[in-house]
Amino acid sequence: MAPAVLIEQLQKRYGTVDAVKDVSFEVAPGQIFGLLGPNGAGKTTTLRCLCSLTTPDSGKIEVSGISVLEHPRAARQLLGYVAQEVALDKVLTGKEMLELQAALYHIPSAEIGVRVKNAIELLSLEEFAANKTGTYSGGIRKRLDLAAGLLHQPAVLVLDEPTVGLDIESRVVIWDFLRQLRDQGTTILMTSHYLEEVDALADNVAIVDQGKVIAEGSPSTLKDQVGGDRITLRIREFTSDDEAQKAKSMTAEMPFVQDVIINGAQGNSLNLVVTPQSDALLTIQQALKEAGLPVFGIAQSRPSLDDVYLAATGQTLMDAEMAASGKRDAKKERKQNMR
Amino acid sequence: MTTTIDPKNSTPSVPSQAELLATPGIVSSEFIQETLALTRRLFIQLKRRPTTLIAGVIQPLMWLVLFGALFQNVPEGLFGVSQSYGQFLCAGVIVFTAFSGALNAGLPVMFDREFGFLNRLLVAPLASRFSIVLASAIFITTLSLIQTVAIIITSVFLGAGLPGIAGLGIVALIVLMLVLGVTALSLGLSFALPGHIELLAVIFVTNLPLLFASTALVPLAFMPTWLQYVSSLNPLSFAIEPIRYLYLHSDWTFASIVMDAPWGSVSLGGALVLLAAFDAIALFSIQRLLYRRLS
């Protein structure tokens, strides 16, 4: 059976900027696949190429064995795309939006009524369906957009940052919904820059950084591969550079410590990679006490997807995010995405 | 949100390979379905926000009443065979109104581009993306016809008279032909320009100069020679002059001379041919652009 989505050596340049340098991954039918990476890593561009909104410079893209570049219209029939920014016609009601969408996907007129009604029920939009979409909150807009993306029962649902900017409650509701959808056979390809979202949902994940896939596998495999335990140590709530440096050189000498970095984004806390051993926390606390350093907080945990990212790129996802947000030109990107 | 999903509603349907690869094109029920749906959207917008239509009907009537009154006391004969300036002006207002409406046709498309709504249409498996353009054209044409009817009825009360049934048919045809060409150009601009600010600027810059450099407000004979050349080559004049002629002569034929341009005389049939040529040029010039943007 052909993979639901196959992307090979995808490349896309905008002027002098490589939005996507080398992205390859495969999504098996019936799974949730997550593209994880900081803003600006090339996730959205990858999805836009998949949905034939952007033509890549090179690479191979297939949906269920059909080439998107050769047969874009066939691929569009198989895909349901829910963009990051929900574009609704604010003068239309939710129901009218869905009816328009149904006609654009050529659902037979006789069936449109039933399908729209089902989609409204599926996403519990009954009380909103008759209102203009201009009155909707962010969560309701997203739900309507999801309903629209599912109307034609696509084989592959493509979601770009499905829960960005939503409250926790809407987020959990959408997570549950996506899991059920997957359990009924829909393949879901989603991007996210939320670690916990990908960790909670994805069967498989590709971590993307600066236009390249840097790791791929199931979240648990990736975490196991990184190995070791993680200790987060905070000398003070906001530790001075001197103290952080001192603690770093102290702990780095301990036999069970494999690596130490100072995390500037979190008030100079120390992130340690250690060989799993039971008295690590105690040993560190003891040593710090002898050196006259206080301990604001210390915790040991198994590696997370962030550690996978950290191991591959040398910085945490949050740091990458902060660095990227300064470099991005939102206006320019909007122009690029205008057709 | 429900926690149970009826499987028969959400199981992905798997179309056959042949079904998937078929391309319906513009002669298909799919094309009609999507065009109707897109047109319906524009009319729902109009119904919920009728301000544009109301203003679009009132504005030309104000032209007729106020601008008409401005030159009411002009000595008879100065404006050719027209009995009053109001009668003279009527054809100009019909054409100018249709022209301004059509010039704005690209604005909704531009906003769809800017707000990302167009992306929603472009990821859908449309039979042909020409339906996006066609829906706008149908919408603008209908609006123009509503405006034209309002102007024609009002001018009856202002003493401009009324052409016969066949004459009215030709008036409608002329309006449609002008609207088609101008709508095409405006839709082309809405894809060529970077944003609505630029589109509005182009509309602003073209609108009034094209009005003044046409025979809408004064006859050709009234103008300096250089302007006569400009005016008689302005597509607006190709539409205004035959309509004016139809208003004044019930005994028209397609051979009747409707415009004495400095470069030659134009018959009613000739004006229609010129308008058809204008449409052809407009459609041809946007075709490549739309093809590039929409494929």
Side-chain angles (χ1 to χ4, degrees), chain B residues 64 83-91 151-163 244 246-248:
Chain B
L64 273 182
Q83 282 152 8
S84 69
Y85 186 67
Q87 190 179 38
F88 178 86
L89 188 62
C90 162
I151 300 167
I152 290 177
I153 293 173
T154 311
S155 356
V156 173
F157 291 107
L158 292 175
L162 197 64
R244 186 168 287 150
L246 290 166
Y247 257 94
L248 296 174

Side-chain angles (χ1 to χ4, degrees), chain A residues 23 37 54 63 91 96 145 167 201 214 238 253 277 288 323 338:
Chain A
V23 167
T54 299
V63 179
V91 182
E96 286 162 347
D145 208 15
D167 54 288
L201 285 178
I214 52 172
F238 298 100
E253 280 166 20
Q277 87 177 55
L288 288 172
M338 251 172 81

Side-chain angles (χ1 to χ4, degrees), chain A:
Chain A
M1 194 171 178
V5 175
L6 172 78
I7 292 186
E8 260 178 38
Q9 296 177 314
L10 190 72
Q11 248 191 336
K12 177 70 189 175
R13 274 178 94 87
Y14 288 111
T16 55
V17 183
D18 283 306
V20 176
K21 269 184 219 151
D22 178 14
V23 167
S24 305
F25 60 87
E26 237 184 82
V27 182
Q31 63 168 221
I32 298 182
F33 192 96
L35 279 182
L36 173 69
N39 274 317
K43 303 183 303 273
T44 298
T45 307
T46 304
L47 292 197
R48 287 178 60 88
C49 289
L50 170 64
C51 296
S52 64
L53 273 173
T54 299
T55 313
D57 297 331
S58 66
K60 182 168 152 189
I61 315 171
E62 284 182 5
V63 179
S64 304
I66 290 176
S67 161
V68 172
L69 295 169
E70 281 165 44
H71 306 288
R73 191 176 172 273
R76 283 179 204 127
Q77 285 175 278
L78 295 171
L79 294 168
Y81 176 53
V82 180
Q84 182 175 349
E85 303 217 339
V86 189
L88 301 173
D89 185 330
K90 61 182 178 186
V91 182
L92 298 192
T93 66
K95 185 161 169 273
E96 286 162 347
M97 266 303 302
L98 293 176
E99 286 164 354
L100 171 64
Q101 181 95 4
L104 296 181
Y105 282 82
H106 307 122
I107 293 168
S109 309
E111 262 181 61
I112 288 183
V114 183
R115 290 263 198 119
V116 167
K117 188 169 161 285
N118 286 341
I120 289 171
E121 281 167 13
L122 207 58
L123 285 134
S124 303
L125 289 164
E126 292 92 339
E127 57 171 310
F128 309 101
N131 300 344
K132 290 182 206 165
T133 64
T135 64
Y136 288 8
S137 68
I140 306 299
R141 287 166 67 85
K142 201 72 195 186
R143 265 150 66 181
L144 182 71
D145 208 15
L146 261 175
L150 288 169
L151 267 180
H152 63 292
Q153 303 172 342
V156 182
L157 184 63
V158 181
L159 305 168
D160 197 359
E161 302 279 357
T163 65
V164 79
L166 296 190
D167 54 288
I168 301 289
E169 200 186 336
S170 307
R171 219 167 148 188
V172 172
V173 168
I174 287 180
W175 285 5
D176 286 341
F177 180 74
L178 294 180
R179 283 196 195 99
Q180 288 168 25
L181 208 59
R182 183 255 330 259
D183 293 344
Q184 281 148 17
T186 303
T187 310
I188 297 172
L189 169 59
M190 57 181 278
T191 69
S192 183
H193 64 282
Y194 294 133
L195 293 159
E196 64 279 18
E197 182 159 87
V198 174
D199 218 346
L201 285 178
D203 303 304
N204 271 303
V205 52
I207 300 183
V208 191
D209 187 61
Q210 296 180 20
K212 285 183 181 162
V213 173
I214 52 172
E216 193 189 339
S218 74
S220 57
T221 318
L222 286 175
K223 286 186 277 191
D224 288 347
Q225 275 170 5
V226 180
D229 273 10
R230 295 296 178 278
I231 290 178
T232 307
L233 167 66
R234 308 181 78 170
I235 307 291
R236 301 176 195 277
E237 192 169 4
F238 298 100
T239 314
S240 68
D241 289 346
D242 284 351
E243 281 181 337
Q245 206 59 53
K246 191 173 165 193
K248 182 183 171 181
S249 45
M250 257 174 59
T251 47
E253 280 166 20
M254 295 173 179
F256 56 86
V257 175
Q258 299 167 3
D259 191 21
V260 189
I261 64 153
I262 297 172
N263 188 343
Q266 282 168 6
N268 278 350
S269 65
L270 295 188
N271 292 1
L272 294 84
V273 180
V274 300
T275 322
Q277 87 177 55
S278 54
D279 60 349
L281 291 182
L282 213 67
T283 316
I284 293 172
Q285 273 173 308
Q286 203 81 50
L288 288 172
K289 201 175 170 188
E290 281 161 21
L293 288 173
V295 173
F296 178 76
I298 185 164
Q300 187 166 5
S301 62
R302 303 278 304 134
S304 68
L305 281 178
D306 199 15
D307 296 313
V308 177
Y309 183 80
L310 179 69
T313 65
Q315 60 179 345
T316 65
L317 193 60
M318 200 195 240
D319 284 339
E321 192 85 346
M322 290 195 345
S325 64
K327 276 190 279 178
R328 296 192 95 186
D329 184 347
K331 209 175 153 194
K332 203 169 137 199
E333 279 170 33
R334 253 180 56 147
K335 290 278 175 203
Q336 273 169 9
N337 290 345
M338 251 172 81
R339 281 285 296 256

